[in-house]
Structures are given as C-alpha cells and as structure tokens.
C-alpha cells in the first residue's frame, strides 16, 4: 500500500490530523492498535479551548459539539470553605467548551467515515522502518497477515505508551519527566452537577474537582494514593470522600447516584525533545503529557496537529520543507507554557505526602493571591483559556 502520510493512532490527534489533511486533498492511512469500540469507550478530557473548537469546526466535525456542548465563561477556585469565581471571559474575552472527549472522538470518526477514510483498527505490531529515507514505511499485522504502507511522512499520534517516540534514537531524544505522588480517581454519573461551572478545590483531605458533561451528567475527581486500588472504591465511599472535601455550600447541593464509569489516572509531566526525527513527527500525548489539572492534554494535541497539518499542506502545495523543519521548535514553545501552568496548578491544589507546614502556607499564600488579585486572575485566565497558536 502507498500513502502520503502514515498515521499511528486513532485518538483525537490522529483522527483530527487525518481529517484536516483529507480536506486539503492529502491522503493518509491511520493504524490503530485497539478496536473502534475500545477507542470510543475511553472517558477522558472534557474542556476544549477556543482554538480546539475552531479546529473541530474546520474539520467539519463541530456540528454536534456546537449543539450539545456547554459554553463556560468562568470557574471557581476553593480552599476549604472559601470559594472564589474567576471570570475567564472578562479577563480574556474567551470562553471554554465542555464537551466530552468520547463524543469528540465519535464525531471525528463519523466525519472520517463520511469521507471514506482508511482507518485500520486492531493493527498489531506496528513498526516504523526507513525513517531517514524519503519513503519511510509502516509495517503491521492484522488477522495473522503482514502488511506494509509506504509513506512520504509518518505522524506518531499513538499516545504516551505508543511505539513512535521510541523510534527516535536515544542519542537524539532527550526526555524531561516529573511523576507526582498521587493519582486522580474519576467518576461519571447521571446526576445534576453541584454548580453550573467547574470548581477546583484545595482541601486538607486532598484535591477535588467538580466538572460536568451536561446539566444532567456530572464528572467528579478526587486526589487518591499514587497506587490506589480501584476495587476498594465503592460509589458510596467516593461520594463521602468528595462531600468531605467540597466547600460547605457545594457539599449541601451534592446529588449522588450510581457511577456509570470510574477510573484512576496517574499524574505526570513529560516532554520529549525534539518531537521530530527524519520523516517522523510526533503529536499529542506521544510527545508530551501534562497532569490533567490544567485541562490541557487534548488541547495540546490539537495545537500540535494545527502546526503539523499546516506544515504538511505547505510542503505538498509549495514543495517547501520550512514549516516541517521548524515543527518541533514551534510546538514545544507552546507545550512548555502549558507544562508550566499545569505543573503550577497541580502544585498549589494538591495535598502532598509529608507536606511541610512551610509548603502548606505557600499554597495558601498562592491561593489567597489568586483569589484577591485581579492581575493574578488575569494571568490565570490567559493560561486556562489557552495561549494563542
Ligand atoms: P490518545 O488519546 O492516547 O490516542 C492514542 C491512540 O494511539 C493508539 N496506539 C497505537 N496504535 C497503533 N499502534 C500502537 N503501537 C499504538 N499505541 C497506542 C491508542 O490505542 C490510542 O487510540 O492520544 P492523543 O490522540 O494524543 O490525545 C491526547 C488526549 O487523549 C489526552 O491528552 C487527554 O485525554 C488528556 N486529558 C485532558 N485533556 C484536556 O485537554 N482537557 C481535559 O479536561 C483533560 N482531562 C485528560 C483529562 C486525561 C485524563 N486521563 C485519563 C489521563 C482527564 C483525565 C482523567
Ligand atoms: C473534565 O471535565 O473531565 C475535566 C475538567 C477539568 C480538568 C480536567 C478534567 O482540569
């Protein structure tokens, strides 16, 4: 098989890239290790920056998001029972779209199907060959048969545990990593959210986050142990822990019900540098990870795809490699800004094991400043709604 761009991974990054390229007349083949049903069953992100929203519309996959997504203009930060609203729209003129990654993935899959995309699900043992040549190849197996796709370029959109980052020689690749000493336990339930905007809570018992997917479907997270056992968390135990951590006025409004999904996610900051080698370009979680506190992961995947699709379109239109050559540099500048913000927000909102009284007082001082200073709120808002790309 021959194609222009071989894409590994059918998460948001891979699907969005393949759709945007197709709309510009560039052919691609997507290889996905899992089944389509499995990809669609993952519950993850929910907060989309305006830049991401614009790209989904550009990809002709924004119609249902515009109909069903919730537009938020602000959010609350709380410490103990103290709660303060940050007006994101006032400070930036921008809003956020709340729309689940599961729905977004489905919309992208439908949009790809409408254009007769070539997506191979359950492609096993995907490998990259001849990365340094002008015709790199993707090899894979499906139903015990071996296949080869000859490409002009390869996009590694295969998430943090994928194979593409590992195809960059160790002598070239530098990685930066911080693993946090806690995880997030998340729950989805058919209950009314405690508030019509998100609440981020710093509580002495641990961090809590109230979010939503609709006005009848809530998404909540609480900080838990790094190696927490999901089996030990009944719904009742989750609701009790959440109620203890919420500011009193929110706790009183908490509506509980059976969970429809419950999972644990470890928190990590990670950046690979550079995110290109030969004719391979990494995008999304394959290249970098942020802790979910800043709601930046999916949005960074979208901004990578923005730079990569533009660079590939320019190459095919003008035979100009310039934008492809500067891809890694351009992406990583924005990535590090989001890494900084996500790390900072994580560090001021969570309870750390063996946290000293000094560190706790610094957290309180940071949150006091954020709640009391309009300038601090403007800087927070600028980062939370997403820096331009
Ligand atoms: P994905 O979504 O991980 O997709 C990668 C795809 O590649 C496939 N794959 C392979 N295919 C072929 N061969 C191989 N060897 C392969 N290895 C892997 C995988 O099966 C998969 O289908 O990466 P992508 O596309 O870069 O997208 C990134 C986002 O999914 C991620 O950043 C976000 O979910 C992060 N995130 C959030 N981001 C936000 O912007 N806003 C949020 O509110 C937000 N909340 C979250 C989050 C992530 C969370 N978890 C679970 C880590 C909340 C949570 C709890
Ligand atoms: C979510 O709604 O899943 C969500 C919201 C805010 C975050 C992370 C996740 O920071």
């Amino acid at each position: 098989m021959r194609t222009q761009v071989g894409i590994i991974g059918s998460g948001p990054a891979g699907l969005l890239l393949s759709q945007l390229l197709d709309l510009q007349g560039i052919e691609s083949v997507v290889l996905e290790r899992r089944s389509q049903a499995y990809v669609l069953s993952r519950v993850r992100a929910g907060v989309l920056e305006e830049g991401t929203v614009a790209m989904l519309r550009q990809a002709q996959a924004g119609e249902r998001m515009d109909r069903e997504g919730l537009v938020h203009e602000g959010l609350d930060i709380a410490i103990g029972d103290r709660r303060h609203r940050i007006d994101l729209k006032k400070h930036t003129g921008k809003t956020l779209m709340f729309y689940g990654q599961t729905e977004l993935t489905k919309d992208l899959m439908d949009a790809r199907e409408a254009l007769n995309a070539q997506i191979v699900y359950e492609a096993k043992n995907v490998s990259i060959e001849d990365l340094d040549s002008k015709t790199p190849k993707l090899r894979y197996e499906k139903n015990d048969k071996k296949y080869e796709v000859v490409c002009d370029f390869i996009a590694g959109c295969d998430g943090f545990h994928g194979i593409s980052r590992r195809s960059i020689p160790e002598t070239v690749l530098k990685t930066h990593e911080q693993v946090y000493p806690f995880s997030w336990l998340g729950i989805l339930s058919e209950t009314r959210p405690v508030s019509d905007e998100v609440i981020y809570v710093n509580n002495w018992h641990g961090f809590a986050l109230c979010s939503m997917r609709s006005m009848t479907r809530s998404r909540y997270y609480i900080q838990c142990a790094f190696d927490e056992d999901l089996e030990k968390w009944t719904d009742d135990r989750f609701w009790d822990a959440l109620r203890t951590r919420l500011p009193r006025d929110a706790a009183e409004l908490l509506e509980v019900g059976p969970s429809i999904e419950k999972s644990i996610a470890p928190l990590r900051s990670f950046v690979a540098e550079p995110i290109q080698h030969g004719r391979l370009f990494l995008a999304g979680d394959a290249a970098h990870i942020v802790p979910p506190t800043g709601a930046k992961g999916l949005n960074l995947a979208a901004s990578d795809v923005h730079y990569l699709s533009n660079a590939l379109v320019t190459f095919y239109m003008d035979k100009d490699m310039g934008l492809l050559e500067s891809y890694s540099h351009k992406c990583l500048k924005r990535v590090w800004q989001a890494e900084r913000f996500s790390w900072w927000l994580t560090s001021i909102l969570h309870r750390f094991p063996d946290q000293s009284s000094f560190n706790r007082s610094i957290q309180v001082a940071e949150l006091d400043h954020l709640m009391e200073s309009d300038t601090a709120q403007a800087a927070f808002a600028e980062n939370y709604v997403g820096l331009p790309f």
Side-chain angles (χ1 to χ4, degrees):
M1 209 187 322
R2 180 83 178 86
T3 193
Q4 290 175 299
V5 183
I7 300 175
I8 315 177
S10 77
L15 290 170
L16 185 57
L17 177 65
S18 137
Q19 177 72 356
L20 290 172
L21 292 178
D22 199 349
L23 292 171
Q24 298 293 324
I26 300 168
E27 212 184 71
S28 66
V29 173
V30 180
L31 301 182
E32 166 60 50
R33 181 169 59 147
R34 304 281 193 171
S35 69
Q36 185 171 17
Y38 182 92
V39 174
L40 274 175
S41 70
R42 292 190 292 228
V43 177
R44 285 182 167 182
V47 186
L48 310 183
E49 297 170 0
E50 282 190 2
T52 307
V53 166
M55 286 183 71
L56 288 163
R57 290 180 187 140
Q58 186 194 340
Q60 301 178 359
E63 210 173 280
R64 194 162 65 101
M65 171 190 71
D66 282 327
R67 230 178 23 247
E68 295 177 11
L70 301 173
V71 175
H72 284 203
E73 297 185 357
L75 56 78
D76 281 9
I77 298 274
I79 176 161
D81 285 329
R82 228 153 32 99
R83 182 169 160 187
H84 186 87
R85 179 171 189 270
I86 297 180
D87 191 331
L88 300 169
K89 177 123 188 247
K90 178 187 93 175
H91 287 294
T92 63
K94 292 184 182 159
T95 58
L96 291 158
M97 176 74 80
F98 277 65
Y99 190 65
Q101 181 169 333
T102 320
E103 308 308 319
L104 175 153
T105 305
K106 180 167 189 322
D107 296 347
L108 282 169
M109 281 178 179
D110 289 348
R112 290 311 295 126
E113 209 164 293
L115 296 182
N116 293 318
Q118 298 190 75
I119 306 182
V120 182
Y121 291 100
E122 297 176 76
K124 304 294 175 206
N125 297 324
V126 174
S127 65
I128 303 174
E129 315 288 334
D130 300 337
L131 204 50
D132 292 317
S133 79
K134 284 194 169 168
T135 52
K137 293 160 195 81
L138 287 175
R139 299 222 171 99
Y140 69 98
E141 292 165 24
K142 178 152 180 162
N143 300 331
D144 297 325
K145 280 201 190 133
K146 291 182 193 276
Y147 297 89
E148 185 177 87
V149 190
V150 181
C151 315
D152 296 336
F153 298 99
I154 292 174
C157 304
D158 48 353
F160 183 65
H161 300 287
I163 54 107
S164 50
R165 187 179 62 251
R166 279 179 268 138
S167 307
I168 300 180
E170 272 176 31
T171 47
V172 175
L173 191 71
K174 184 166 169 50
T175 58
H176 312 265
E177 182 168 34
Q178 167 141 351
V179 178
Y180 299 86
F182 37 72
S183 297
W184 278 18
L185 172 59
I187 198 171
L188 194 64
S189 70
E190 295 292 355
T191 52
R192 274 199 307 265
V194 289
S195 168
D196 52 11
E197 289 179 342
V198 166
I199 315 175
Y200 286 91
V201 187
N202 173 317
N203 184 285
W204 188 237
H205 294 288
F207 168 79
L209 168 59
C210 308
S211 185
M212 68 200 71
R213 292 293 175 267
S214 72
M215 290 321 287
T216 55
R217 185 174 275 205
S218 300
R219 179 79 168 147
Y220 295 108
Y221 300 95
I222 56 171
Q223 171 185 352
C224 62
F226 176 73
D227 54 354
E228 192 70 59
D229 181 0
L230 186 60
E231 294 299 309
K232 292 198 176 136
W233 283 87
T234 60
D235 288 356
D236 284 346
R237 184 175 171 208
F238 181 91
W239 293 121
D240 286 346
L242 177 65
R243 195 180 289 107
T244 311
R245 296 178 192 196
L246 295 186
R248 204 167 303 129
D249 56 350
E252 279 165 9
L253 294 175
L254 181 65
E255 195 177 281
V256 305
S259 63
I260 47 179
E261 195 265 352
K262 206 190 285 162
S263 54
I264 291 179
L267 267 68
R268 183 194 302 273
S269 298
F270 176 90
V271 181
E273 237 171 334
I275 59 171
Q276 67 189 90
H277 182 70
R279 293 213 157 201
L280 169 68
F281 298 84
L282 305 180
D285 281 12
H288 39 72
I289 294 284
V290 282
T293 328
K296 291 277 160 267
L298 174 57
N299 293 298
L300 283 179
S303 62
D304 288 354
V305 167
H306 165 82
Y307 293 123
L308 185 53
S309 57
N310 277 352
L312 288 165
V313 169
T314 303
F315 171 82
Y316 283 110
M317 276 176 43
D318 307 333
K319 290 281 166 275
D320 178 356
M321 285 288 286
L323 290 181
L324 281 170
E325 279 161 6
S326 61
Y327 169 74
S328 179
H329 179 73
K330 243 193 203 142
C331 284
L332 288 180
K333 187 156 183 280
R334 188 172 187 279
V335 164
W336 276 113
Q337 296 286 336
E339 290 283 345
R340 185 205 66 80
F341 179 68
S342 304
W343 160 82
W344 170 75
L345 200 55
T346 302
S347 70
I348 66 167
L349 287 175
H350 290 76
R351 165 114 191 236
F352 285 73
D354 306 322
Q355 191 165 355
S356 66
S357 61
F358 177 83
N359 190 278
R360 175 66 185 163
S361 298
I362 291 290
Q363 285 190 331
V364 174
E366 284 268 16
L367 287 164
D368 278 343
H369 182 52
L370 185 56
M371 289 181 179
E372 289 162 15
S373 154
D374 218 41
T375 317
Q377 286 169 34
F380 174 93
E382 185 184 26
N383 284 283
Y384 195 86
V385 300
L387 296 172
F389 57 84

